[in-house]
Amino acid sequence: MSNKPTIILDCDPGHDDALAIVVAARYANLLGITTVSGNAPIESTTYNALVMKDLLGLDVPVHKGAIRPLVAPPQYATYVHGESGLDGADLPAPTSTIDSEDAVGYIIDTVRANEGVWLVPTGPLTNIGLALRLAPDIGKRIAGISLMGGGLFGNRTTAAEFNIWVDPEAADIVFNYGGPLVMAGLHLTHQFRATQPRIDRVKALPGQLANVLGDLMQFFTDTYMRRHHGMDGGAVHDPCSVLCLTHPELFGKTAAHVVVELTGEHTRGMTLIDQRDLKEVREANCDVLMTIDAEPAFDLMIDAIAHFSH
Ligand code: RIB
Ligand code: CA
């Protein structure tokens, strides 16, 4: 009996989403991949997910999801990930095709048919919000939601992290769903960086996957170093939401009440994490990841790349 967590990865590849696919395939029981508009338009994030599926030789379905957020207009992060959403490497065209254009229906059906599924969204939460609205019963069936998003500071704005900022209404549904919720925010993911020595370790691995991922990580880190003053590498956000389930011993966390700001002129999309030690604070609705043991976590990611690269 595997003690691997069973997950559906909902993503917007995206350089760090691509690495989340690698660690999910290696260390979790990955039931399927669903895609969402975020780092790039849905057609691109879906194409990129298929590229990664074929590069890893995975036998998992890929279901295309929401074309845009619930309320807000679609927004992309081409300033980080490039026009394709996965710039910086010579990507082999996928031969796989999508299994459906109904990611939300796939999530609902799969949760209803399987016990103990974790939903792991690493992009805007549109698909997850829609699934919870269409089928509230899944909120009581899933093992939980482990998301990359939010944090004690922003990136797309001073206050808001990109995934939450793109679709705050969907995020509000998720943070209020009432079940187990784990949040890998920017204060956590910025501890997990693709430094040049780590990138060089990937580039030294044999095989096409390592070659492609080494180039993608180099592009990602070069972009981060160009845009930030004091970072020694790109923050590899999305794998944290997988590794905290597969290797929880590498993470420190705190339970807190978290709300999503929907109306603030300057703060829309902000996750307000209540860290006051007052007895009056509202009951915690989220396990907020606070620390990661980055060296062994990165070793795990490199080992996963090596496993699939040949
Ligand atoms: O803010 C970082 C998050 O936004 C990551 O998930 C990245 O892939 C983008 O989706
Ligand atoms: Ca992402």
Side-chain angles (χ1 to χ4, degrees), residues 108-212:
I108 293 168
D109 294 345
T110 305
V111 168
R112 286 174 171 166
N114 294 273
E115 294 292 335
V117 174
W118 278 93
L119 302 182
V120 182
T122 63
L125 292 161
T126 314
N127 291 336
I128 310 301
L130 285 168
L132 288 167
R133 274 284 185 274
L134 272 173
D137 60 292
I138 67 169
K140 291 179 174 52
R141 273 191 64 79
I142 55 177
I145 298 173
S146 177
L147 66 86
M148 191 279 137
L152 293 169
F153 49 83
N155 55 8
R156 183 61 186 78
T157 72
T158 306
E161 177 278 328
F162 178 79
N163 288 340
I164 309 299
W165 177 82
V166 164
D167 198 341
E169 282 71 25
D172 187 50
I173 294 169
V174 171
F175 278 88
N176 284 296
Y177 96 97
L181 180 62
V182 184
M183 170 186 175
L186 293 177
H187 58 281
L188 184 279
T189 63
H190 277 219
Q191 300 172 46
F192 189 55
R193 298 183 302 278
T195 61
Q196 196 59 52
R198 289 169 174 166
I199 294 173
D200 292 344
R201 286 174 61 194
V202 175
K203 288 181 174 177
L205 296 172
Q208 182 186 24
L209 175 68
N211 182 49
V212 168

Side-chain angles (χ1 to χ4, degrees), residues 199-227:
I199 294 173
D200 292 344
R201 286 174 61 194
V202 175
K203 288 181 174 177
L205 296 172
Q208 182 186 24
L209 175 68
N211 182 49
V212 168
L213 289 177
D215 289 344
L216 290 175
M217 291 168 86
Q218 192 68 63
F219 175 93
F220 188 63
T221 277
D222 290 351
T223 301
Y224 252 83
M225 305 281 281
R226 193 169 52 248
R227 298 185 67 239

Side-chain angles (χ1 to χ4, degrees), residues 1-2 4-11 20-35 53 58-63 99-100 103 105-120 141-144 242 245-246:
M1 179 68 180
S2 163
K4 289 182 175 181
T6 296
I7 75 170
I8 295 171
L9 184 66
D10 183 72
C11 56
I21 292 171
V22 176
V23 296
R26 181 72 181 104
Y27 301 120
N29 174 23
L30 179 60
L31 293 181
I33 297 170
T34 53
T35 61
K53 169 179 175 171
L58 301 182
D59 182 18
V60 296
V62 174
H63 296 266
D99 292 78
S100 87
Y106 168 77
I107 290 168
I108 293 168
D109 294 345
T110 305
V111 168
R112 286 174 171 166
N114 294 273
E115 294 292 335
V117 174
W118 278 93
L119 302 182
V120 182
R141 273 191 64 79
I142 55 177
V242 175
L245 300 180
T246 60

Side-chain angles (χ1 to χ4, degrees), residues 10-18 20 36 38-39 81 121-124 148 161-163 237-238:
D10 183 72
C11 56
D12 62 336
H15 293 68
D16 50 330
D17 303 79
V36 67
N39 284 321
H81 299 276
T122 63
M148 191 279 137
E161 177 278 328
F162 178 79
N163 288 340
H237 310 281
D238 296 336

Side-chain angles (χ1 to χ4, degrees), residues 13-87:
H15 293 68
D16 50 330
D17 303 79
L19 292 166
I21 292 171
V22 176
V23 296
R26 181 72 181 104
Y27 301 120
N29 174 23
L30 179 60
L31 293 181
I33 297 170
T34 53
T35 61
V36 67
S37 171
N39 284 321
I42 187 67
E43 297 301 335
S44 298
T45 58
T46 304
Y47 179 89
N48 295 336
L50 292 170
V51 167
M52 289 307 298
K53 169 179 175 171
D54 286 2
L55 267 175
L56 273 73
L58 301 182
D59 182 18
V60 296
V62 174
H63 296 266
K64 182 178 171 187
I67 190 169
R68 57 158 293 170
L70 301 186
V71 174
Q75 304 273 4
Y76 310 119
T78 52
Y79 53 93
V80 174
H81 299 276
E83 283 304 313
S84 73
L86 213 47
D87 280 13

